[in-house]
Amino acid sequence: MSGVVVVGVGPGICLAVARRFVREGMSAGLIARSDATVKSAAEESGSADALALTADVTDERALRAALDRIVDAYGVPDAVVYNAAMIRSDRIGDLTAQQHLDAFAVNVVGAITAAAHLAPAMAERGSGSFLITGGMPVPKPDYASLSLGKAGVRALVTLLHQQYGAAGVHAASVTISGGVAPGSLWDPDDIANHYWRLHQQAPAEWIHELVV
């Protein structure tokens, strides 16, 4: 069975993404820090094959264990979507060094952990998509830590393509330019369609950053 892994599940983009991929007949492995959040997402995903697991993306051991449980249940995923992010307003000088490290751990390092754990097996199979929710197409001084994190996402996508692209793994980010809300220009269901289209692209058509 083909499957999608969604890391950082919440009621917005990632629930919509899970539903979109499930509609195509995929199983769904869902990971969130909150047990209530991930169980609710599993119930709303529309799939009887949704596995709900809790893990903090900054806890490498817990995240890898959750990913292993999904692989054990459904096999190596066809698509991985990383959506975890620490979103807060801060300017240069507002945060301590540790607070910046904590933000970067969520915004970028968790994605590195997930990719390091799953991309080699996807590459060995010769196919797969690793998609990351980006943002901040232009850095904003009122969102310094998030701007730095999303810049890191762009760099990570490039690195993943360089390392695994030739083996058939499509690395890409979906850069969200505004506030996500139903009925807005950034409706989560519309955004989810972009993830699906990226996953469906043939290698000759690969896009590595889609700005919406």
Side-chain angles (χ1 to χ4, degrees), residues 93-182:
D94 287 348
L95 304 184
T96 65
Q98 186 60 54
Q99 286 173 318
H100 272 293
L101 291 171
D102 291 343
F104 200 77
V106 176
N107 296 332
V108 182
V109 179
I112 294 172
T113 299
H117 202 72
L118 295 175
M122 297 165 76
E124 183 177 356
R125 183 185 56 207
S127 65
S129 300
F130 196 96
L131 311 175
I132 309 176
T133 302
M136 316 304 291
V138 177
K140 294 184 178 180
D142 289 332
Y143 290 90
S145 65
L146 188 61
S147 294
L148 292 168
K150 295 309 183 184
V153 163
R154 290 187 182 89
L156 176 57
V157 165
T158 299
L159 293 170
L160 291 174
H161 173 65
Q162 291 170 342
Q163 186 164 348
Y164 297 111
V169 179
H170 181 193
S173 64
V174 179
T175 296
I176 312 299
S177 303
V180 176

Side-chain angles (χ1 to χ4, degrees), residues 1-2 17 32-33 71 74-76 90-91 93 95 97 101 110 113-114 122 130 149 168 175-176 186:
M1 177 181 289
S2 60
V17 168
R33 185 172 57 178
V71 172
Y74 303 128
V76 176
D90 54 63
R91 297 174 69 90
L95 304 184
L101 291 171
T113 299
M122 297 165 76
F130 196 96
T175 296
I176 312 299
W186 296 279

Side-chain angles (χ1 to χ4, degrees), residues 11-96:
I13 291 174
C14 268
L15 176 56
V17 168
R19 286 173 170 167
R20 182 67 181 85
F21 280 68
V22 162
R23 283 210 312 271
E24 302 297 332
M26 285 191 170
S27 62
L30 309 178
I31 300 173
R33 185 172 57 178
S34 163
D35 186 62
T37 296
V38 75
K39 285 182 177 178
S40 175
E43 291 173 358
E44 296 180 50
S45 69
S47 173
D49 290 304
L51 180 58
L53 300 170
T54 58
D56 189 321
V57 298
T58 66
D59 183 337
E60 181 179 5
R61 181 176 297 179
L63 179 55
R64 287 180 181 269
L67 295 171
D68 280 339
R69 286 189 60 188
I70 294 169
V71 172
D72 288 344
Y74 303 128
V76 176
D78 293 272
V80 180
V81 176
Y82 186 88
N83 186 64
M86 184 178 289
I87 301 173
R88 62 185 174 193
S89 177
D90 54 63
R91 297 174 69 90
I92 295 297
D94 287 348
L95 304 184
T96 65

